[in-house]
Amino acid sequence: MDKVFISQLHVDTIIGVYDFEKETKQSLYFDIEMLCDIKPAAKTDDIALALDYAKVSERVIAHTTAKPVELLETLVEQLAAIILTEFATTQVTIRVSKPAAVAQARTVGVEITRLKAR
């Protein structure tokens, strides 16, 4: 399988458990890898046959900013389900980083890999 990826997609949103986190937007950075077959798109040079990373990016941004959640775990599970349902991929890996979460760390985050249900 081939891989389409998005690296360091930046989204400012409200996320967090603590009251102070619910008052100000924080930066999240997404790395997303999606397995797919790129041969049909490559052969025809047709974006309609490609896994369109621009549309995936737009969808991730729209969902992440639409309704705040408290946990990164909740957000990445939701995003994985959306990507597997709405886009032509059989597997997705999402890594989200939250740089402002721990002052002593450069960043913290969560990474998951999910497969399309058969």
Side-chain angles (χ1 to χ4, degrees):
M1 282 303 242
D2 305 308
K3 189 181 294 183
V4 173
F5 69 91
I6 301 164
S7 181
Q8 294 294 289
L9 178 65
H10 177 233
V11 182
D12 286 326
T13 193
I14 300 291
I15 188 163
V17 175
Y18 304 107
D19 289 340
F20 71 88
E21 292 180 298
K22 297 174 184 180
E23 296 173 4
T24 305
K25 289 183 179 181
Q26 297 183 66
S27 290
L28 299 179
Y29 293 89
F30 295 90
D31 294 314
I32 303 168
E33 294 182 351
M34 299 159 286
L35 297 185
C36 63
D37 182 1
I38 70 163
K39 288 189 284 298
K43 184 176 183 179
T44 61
D45 202 29
D46 184 354
I47 187 67
L49 300 177
L51 178 50
D52 189 338
Y53 46 78
K55 288 185 179 179
V56 174
S57 297
E58 290 170 6
R59 188 67 174 96
V60 168
I61 293 166
H63 182 79
T64 301
T65 57
K67 182 181 175 205
V69 296
E70 291 188 345
L71 300 176
L72 292 177
E73 292 85 348
T74 303
L75 180 60
V76 294
E77 286 288 352
Q78 291 172 350
L79 290 172
I82 289 168
I83 292 169
L84 289 169
T85 302
E86 297 180 13
F87 297 94
T89 182
T90 57
Q91 178 179 310
V92 62
T93 299
I94 304 173
R95 177 184 181 106
V96 60
S97 300
K98 187 177 176 186
V102 175
Q104 297 82 357
R106 182 174 181 190
T107 194
V108 298
V110 174
E111 180 175 321
I112 65 169
T113 300
R114 298 293 180 263
L115 301 172
K116 184 172 277 192
R118 293 180 186 209

